[in-house]
Amino acid sequence: MTNIAAEDLSADRSKMTVGSQVAVEMIGVNKWYGEFHVLRDINLTVRKGERIVICGPSGSGKSTMIRCINRLEEHQKGQIIVDGTELTNDLKKIDEVRREVGMVFQHFNLFPHLTILENCTLAPIWVRKMPKRQAEEAAMEYLAKVRIPEQAHKYPGQLSGGQQQRVAIARSLCMNPKIMLFDEPTSALDPEMVKEVLDVMISLAESGMTMLCVTHEMGFARQVANRVIFMDQGQIVEQNDPEAFFTNPQHERTRLFLSQILH
Amino acid sequence: MTDVASPGPDARSAIYVRGTFVPPSPPPGSTVGPFGWAHKNLFSSPFNIAATILTALFLAWVVPPLLDWLIFDAVWTGENREACLPVDGREVGACWAWVQAKFGQILYGRYPLDQRWRVDLTALLFVAGLVPLAIPKVPYKRENTILMLTAFPVAAFILLYGGFGLPVVETALWGGLLVTLVVAVTGIVASLPLGILLALGRRSKLPIVKTVSVIFIEFWRGVPLITVLFMASVMLPLFLPSGVNFDKLLRALIGVALFSAAYMAETVRGGLQAIPKGQYEAAAAMGLGYWQSMRLVILPQALKIVIPGIVNSFISLFKDTSLVLIIGLFDVLGIIQLNFSDANWSAPTVPATGFVFAAIVFWIFCFGMSRYSQYMERRLETGHRR
Ligand SMILES: Nc1ncnc2c1ncn2[C@@H]1O[C@H](COP(=O)(O)OP(=O)(O)OP(=O)(O)O)[C@@H](O)[C@H]1O
Ligand SMILES: [Mg+2]
């Protein structure tokens, strides 16, 4: 496990403020894949501006949990309320939530047939009904923020992994989301590209974004997260602020897990 | 030794440190130029040498007689069968004079002579609309496509069939390349969108949509086109109330379109299946609805992947048009065969000439489609497959 050390990442925690409004609320959420009980009684309240890092062994249900938040996966029991909207079978509500929630995937999932700029303007134009010119200006701004404006007219296939992931982040930001979900955004990247992506995520956190982030980059968790959640077997086993989580894990499983990934 | 960098303190521990970089130089002569090419491609191994010699022998055996038949011994002009008869032991190749005499029929069938300008005008409109669509640089693609899909069919129908002051030309009189192209173009244009809808339907989560699509596709794929055409012309009238008369060509058109749509659906489905799940998820996560993500994200990629398959379907559809002969419509091949029985032109090489000419006509269109699709494939390449 190659991890970027916390000292190598510079984050200004004073800029990250937690509000009092609730951004995401999960109450007694359960999910099954057929017979398999993948999420068990998840209760989680995320306030505006919180940066939550979710970790846990493979297959513990981390991806499934955050994918429930934008309804890429459907839960069968319990309530999920995102920015005041409860996720039900109502397609309108689902679309409403997806407009406000951005997601970054492990494998970037850029659209290979569109240029970087077109990737970024697609949703603003078709979902937000933004005029093309305005969408492009906004996109260029976000591409500058992730430090690759000069790549705007290339295709995803011509970019490195780290660059592609930064584009994916910019693409999500172009929708002006209130909440960002990250599912192992750096685990498909070569080590030297991890930091450039983490740096972008740090500046996003400094801008006050609400973030839920599945990652094993513990340096990032120390510097940015205000809460670390440990999941195992579809349940939240332990959650704490990063300092306490890393120095004084309470649960047996947490200790075992940390000892495995922090050599 | 002046160009070798003096090893620094760190380099002492290295086993080897490059002092100078090697500049690029041209490749050795044996790999470039005509001789280089021949050596590499024709004589690089014993097997290659043997294959080259055998091929050369085969060509020497086949090509000269073929050229004789097609060109040197061929009859290029003439008024009737006399020109193409092998009198006094004369070698007679292809009877191109016959093709010349029948050329009008091969193009138009029995379309009235004084009305043939209408077919020409339709063809002109078609080409004028298609060429700017086919050339990527030309602007107004969207407007042009809409025109070609709405105004052009109406104009073509009025021009070809009649109405608005133009005398009606019954479809029974249509023939030759006109019928081939009408059937092929309608089939191609109708089968692609229909096939896409069926493919999406087959992957739908809605059980009814899915079932209907599966039944439709499997029904049409399960019966031969000949049967479809035969049923359309013989069986269908039995089910229709008497007095209701469907045009024969129209029935063939519908049959061919539905038949090829079923094939197209499976081709397109192959493309849809090749798109990674992440693409669907990314589109959904951004808030794109089902039709938006299909139109903007999934289909452009899926269709690009299956261009070879789509064009394959187009080409086989184009050639299958000659089956309309079964129901008494005369396409290029049908008209050519029909004319073998013309006593004025009965000469030994006429049938062979006719078939060779039909083959050339079909080949030109099919090869054209094939080349264009390869061009599009290269053009749409965005380098995401590494
Ligand atoms: N579509 C599916 N159908 C059936 N089981 C699934 C499906 N998707 C995931 N699972 C199972 O659900 C469990 C949780 O999967 P999930 O992807 O959420 O794990 P994860 O914690 O993200 O793991 P990783 O760290 O490997 O990404 C796994 O055991 C997995 O096998
Ligand atoms: Mg996962």
Side-chain angles (χ1 to χ4, degrees), chain B residues 157 171 232 245-256 329:
Chain B
F157 176 80
T171 54
N245 194 18
F246 244 127
D247 185 86
K248 202 152 70 176
L249 179 65
L250 183 62
R251 273 181 276 166
L253 284 181
I254 294 173
V256 167
L329 294 170

Side-chain angles (χ1 to χ4, degrees), chain A residues 67 98 110-113 126, chain B residues 278-279 281 284 292 295-296 382:
Chain A
R67 287 156 61 88
R98 284 179 178 168
L110 294 179
F111 304 135
H113 63 300
W126 292 96
Chain B
Q279 294 287 311
E281 290 176 349
Q292 282 180 334
R295 189 162 57 88
L296 301 168
T382 56

Side-chain angles (χ1 to χ4, degrees), chain A residues 57-64 66-67 106 183-184 187 214:
Chain A
S58 177
S60 56
K62 309 176 298 287
S63 301
T64 310
I66 68 164
R67 287 156 61 88
Q106 180 175 4
D183 191 358
E184 307 205 30
S187 55
V214 176

Side-chain angles (χ1 to χ4, degrees), chain A residues 124-167:
Chain A
I125 290 175
W126 292 96
V127 179
R128 289 243 190 263
K129 312 287 177 212
M130 200 185 275
K132 188 165 177 235
R133 175 70 65 74
Q134 194 188 334
E136 284 180 351
E137 278 167 14
M140 287 311 293
E141 223 165 90
Y142 284 113
L143 286 174
K145 271 198 187 137
V146 301
R147 295 190 278 281
I148 33 177
E150 71 282 358
Q151 313 281 6
H153 296 285
K154 288 195 183 167
Y155 286 96
Q158 299 165 318
L159 267 53
S160 75
Q163 291 173 324
Q164 290 193 46
Q165 194 59 298
R166 285 185 280 151
V167 171

Side-chain angles (χ1 to χ4, degrees), chain B residues 15 146 269 284 322:
Chain B
I15 291 173
I146 293 173
R269 193 164 67 95
S322 41

Side-chain angles (χ1 to χ4, degrees), chain B residues 275-348:
Chain B
I275 306 299
K277 209 164 139 242
Q279 294 287 311
Y280 291 88
E281 290 176 349
M286 290 161 71
L288 293 171
Y290 175 80
W291 290 108
Q292 282 180 334
S293 41
M294 285 304 147
R295 189 162 57 88
L296 301 168
V297 176
I298 305 301
L299 282 174
Q301 297 182 59
L303 292 180
K304 192 187 106 184
I305 297 176
V306 293
I307 286 178
I310 291 176
V311 175
N312 213 10
S313 294
F314 286 173
I315 287 177
S316 78
L317 167 61
F318 191 90
K319 291 190 290 191
D320 281 349
T321 53
S322 41
L323 291 177
V324 295
L325 188 59
I326 291 289
I327 57 171
L329 294 170
F330 294 95
D331 75 316
V332 171
L333 190 61
I335 282 282
I336 284 176
Q337 275 180 287
L338 189 68
N339 275 292
F340 291 164
S341 54
D342 181 355
N344 272 333
W345 276 100
S346 90

Side-chain angles (χ1 to χ4, degrees), chain A residues 40-254:
Chain A
R40 310 182 196 175
D41 197 32
I42 302 281
N43 289 289
L44 177 66
T45 306
V46 182
R47 294 186 187 285
K48 230 173 179 161
E50 275 200 280
R51 290 90 45 208
I52 300 202
V53 161
I54 301 152
C55 60
S58 177
S60 56
K62 309 176 298 287
S63 301
T64 310
M65 185 177 84
I66 68 164
R67 287 156 61 88
C68 280
I69 296 173
N70 64 352
R71 245 300 149 132
L72 288 184
E73 302 289 352
E74 192 180 326
H75 62 286
Q76 279 101 27
K77 206 170 139 217
Q79 277 181 300
I80 301 178
I81 301 153
V82 182
D83 196 35
T85 309
E86 185 179 351
L87 282 169
T88 57
N89 281 329
D90 187 346
L91 290 178
K92 266 219 187 94
K93 294 261 168 75
I94 295 174
D95 283 340
E96 228 168 86
V97 166
R98 284 179 178 168
R99 276 199 292 270
E100 305 307 332
V101 179
M103 184 159 200
V104 174
F105 300 85
Q106 180 175 4
H107 296 289
F108 333 135
N109 296 354
L110 294 179
F111 304 135
H113 63 300
L114 300 177
T115 62
I116 300 308
L117 188 61
E118 288 166 343
N119 263 280
C120 291
T121 56
L122 188 77
I125 290 175
W126 292 96
V127 179
R128 289 243 190 263
K129 312 287 177 212
M130 200 185 275
K132 188 165 177 235
R133 175 70 65 74
Q134 194 188 334
E136 284 180 351
E137 278 167 14
M140 287 311 293
E141 223 165 90
Y142 284 113
L143 286 174
K145 271 198 187 137
V146 301
R147 295 190 278 281
I148 33 177
E150 71 282 358
Q151 313 281 6
H153 296 285
K154 288 195 183 167
Y155 286 96
Q158 299 165 318
L159 267 53
S160 75
Q163 291 173 324
Q164 290 193 46
Q165 194 59 298
R166 285 185 280 151
V167 171
I169 295 174
R171 176 175 76 172
S172 287
L173 294 179
C174 283
M175 281 294 280
N176 231 328
K178 295 189 174 130
I179 301 159
M180 284 287 285
L181 309 174
F182 294 84
D183 191 358
E184 307 205 30
T186 56
S187 55
L189 298 177
D190 291 340
E192 74 267 24
M193 295 172 185
V194 170
K195 186 170 180 295
E196 65 190 45
V197 171
L198 292 181
D199 282 339
V200 166
M201 290 168 64
I202 289 172
S203 56
L204 193 58
E206 288 171 344
S207 74
M209 178 66 77
T210 311
M211 296 165 70
L212 282 95
C213 189
V214 176
T215 184
H216 292 153
E217 288 296 336
M218 292 307 152
F220 174 80
R222 276 178 208 272
Q223 289 286 22
V224 176
N226 66 311
R227 233 193 310 167
V228 181
I229 290 179
F230 175 70
M231 282 183 78
D232 195 14
Q233 296 183 347
Q235 336 179 25
I236 295 180
V237 174
E238 183 166 346
Q239 48 174 312
N240 215 333
D241 62 86
E243 196 48 41
F245 182 86
F246 289 114
T247 52
N248 189 18
Q250 298 297 308
H251 201 284
E252 184 61 33
R253 286 183 182 283
T254 319

